[in-house]
Amino acid sequence: MAIGGNSNSNVTRSAAPAVLGGRAAFSEPVYITRPLIPEEAEFQARLRAIFASHWLTNDGPMVRALEAALQTQLGVAHCKVLCNGTTALQVALRALDLEGEVITTPFTFPATVHAIEWNGLTPVFCDVDPETYNLDVAHAAALAGAATCALVPVHVFGNPCDGAGIAALAARRGLKVVYDAAHVYGVEQDGEAVCQWGDLSVLSFHATKLFHTCEGGAIIAAEPGLVERIALLRNFGIVSHAEVRGVGLNGKLSELHAAVGLGVLAAVDGEIRARAQLVGRYRELLEDVPGLRMQKWSPATKRNHAYFTLEVDEREFGMSRDVLHDALRAENIFVRRYFHPLCSENESYRNLASARPQNLPNATRLARRILCLPLHGGIGLADVERIAERVTLLQSRAPEVRRAIETSA
Ligand SMILES: *Cc1c(COP(=O)(O)O)cnc(C)c1O
């Protein structure tokens, strides 16, 4: 049954959970994700080519090949790669010459908000939809004022935002839109790449992301003038030996990182197919468990299965997300609380008026409830079945599990 490695199970049906004295479901940790690795011979050949050329960075042939390959693969006109997703966000915001307030979501990775702050802009936190977990466009419209210059929505867990609603709001109020598209590699809506929405979209190619270059990121832009600004900004603003334009930075991706990306690119479609199978099994086994809910997706979305998340309703499920988290960790199942704490709870932002939890009821609830389960091609269907079996077993003994975790805390 297993399509991947992990066959290190100890489990027997209806054994006791580890927190109640049973053996852990897995003898080795099952991690939340596992980076794709380039095929070795192909990678060696690329390394030899780099070393033979002595061209290690500065818009070299590997970076150009990666940009061209990504443009083809994603079906976008222009893709500029950078050294990481956070720098790419900073450069994207800088390229639009913004001033004032930027409406964004607190239910995201800290980099989204940090990039706004690093540009001298003021983040304004907007609540999210309780089912898609993405920016609540009606709330964003209510928050938009004279000082608002842009929206930075996030396609959280690869689920496309309400793109039409966001575009309409931006048009009505004259706002720029920069999507944090870190999770959305390969995702399509009605047959169109989601990472080309907005004025700019920013991808992360960190090793934990579905497609990666170890460290890396990219900006997708449609307008040629913006593409040119981004190319300048990522290279100090250097136009020529005689001219530097604008306050640039060093956002370049090295040839070695680009070579990793070209290798990973060849493996990513297979990974998405493997994950799709695992997600299908997770859903079958967990969708009827009382107190567990799943993120809402449009049927028009072609998904990338970057993440598999559950929303845990403490009352119905019998224990909180945090108790379930601890009990699964005891089984050697490395689940994660994405995104907890909320960015609006960060000490740098919590004094903003928009950061008050009463303004962000859905995000506040989701930060307490969402749990991310292991999902990558290195695990198989048997592993997913074992993980789901542990979740249901834990629930069936919820009061004891809760007591065990609470007394050990
Ligand atoms: C990973 C991530 C980033 C940051 O990307 P890096 O490449 O790690 O700098 C930004 N936003 C979101 C939503 C992310 O998940």
Side-chain angles (χ1 to χ4, degrees), residues 83-87 89 108-109 111-112 154 180 182-183 203-206 208-209 215-217 307 339:
C83 57
N84 60 62
T86 306
T87 302
L89 277 168
T108 184
F109 188 69
T112 314
V154 180
D180 182 334
H183 300 171
L203 293 158
S204 165
F205 299 155
H206 184 254
T208 54
K209 305 299 203 278
E215 293 276 1
Y307 303 88
F339 289 96

Side-chain angles (χ1 to χ4, degrees), residues 161-312:
C161 291
D162 172 6
I166 286 165
L169 171 62
R172 211 158 61 237
R173 308 298 295 261
L175 308 175
K176 298 291 184 188
V177 180
V178 176
Y179 279 103
D180 182 334
H183 300 171
V184 94
Y185 176 93
V187 174
E188 294 177 6
Q189 187 80 355
D190 297 310
E192 179 193 302
V194 169
C195 65
Q196 61 182 337
W197 292 0
D199 293 284
L200 297 171
S201 275
V202 177
L203 293 158
S204 165
F205 299 155
H206 184 254
T208 54
K209 305 299 203 278
L210 177 65
F211 169 77
H212 76 90
T213 59
C214 296
E215 293 276 1
I219 305 177
I220 312 286
E223 195 201 302
L226 273 176
V227 179
E228 202 180 314
R229 289 197 72 171
I230 288 156
L232 282 181
L233 283 170
R234 79 171 171 186
N235 188 34
F236 314 99
I238 294 173
V239 180
S240 69
H241 292 300
E243 191 191 350
V244 177
R245 195 186 304 155
V247 183
L249 47 64
N250 181 356
K252 294 184 267 68
L253 191 74
S254 81
E255 290 290 282
L256 296 173
H257 288 89
V260 171
L262 286 164
V264 169
L265 203 55
V268 75
D269 286 345
E271 174 74 9
I272 292 173
R273 280 195 297 275
R275 289 184 185 205
Q277 235 195 328
L278 302 176
V279 166
R281 198 76 185 112
Y282 266 136
R283 292 188 73 93
E284 280 166 15
L285 295 169
L286 295 172
E287 70 191 342
D288 294 327
V289 176
L292 295 184
R293 275 191 288 280
M294 292 171 199
Q295 191 177 17
K296 183 178 163 189
W297 294 76
S298 154
T301 303
K302 182 180 156 214
R303 300 164 62 167
N304 67 1
H305 303 293
Y307 303 88
F308 180 75
T309 63
L310 291 173
E311 181 186 346
V312 182

Side-chain angles (χ1 to χ4, degrees), residues 128-150:
V128 296
D129 179 272
E131 293 185 305
T132 65
Y133 316 159
N134 284 326
L135 202 73
D136 174 344
V137 180
H139 189 213
L143 289 168
T148 309
C149 61

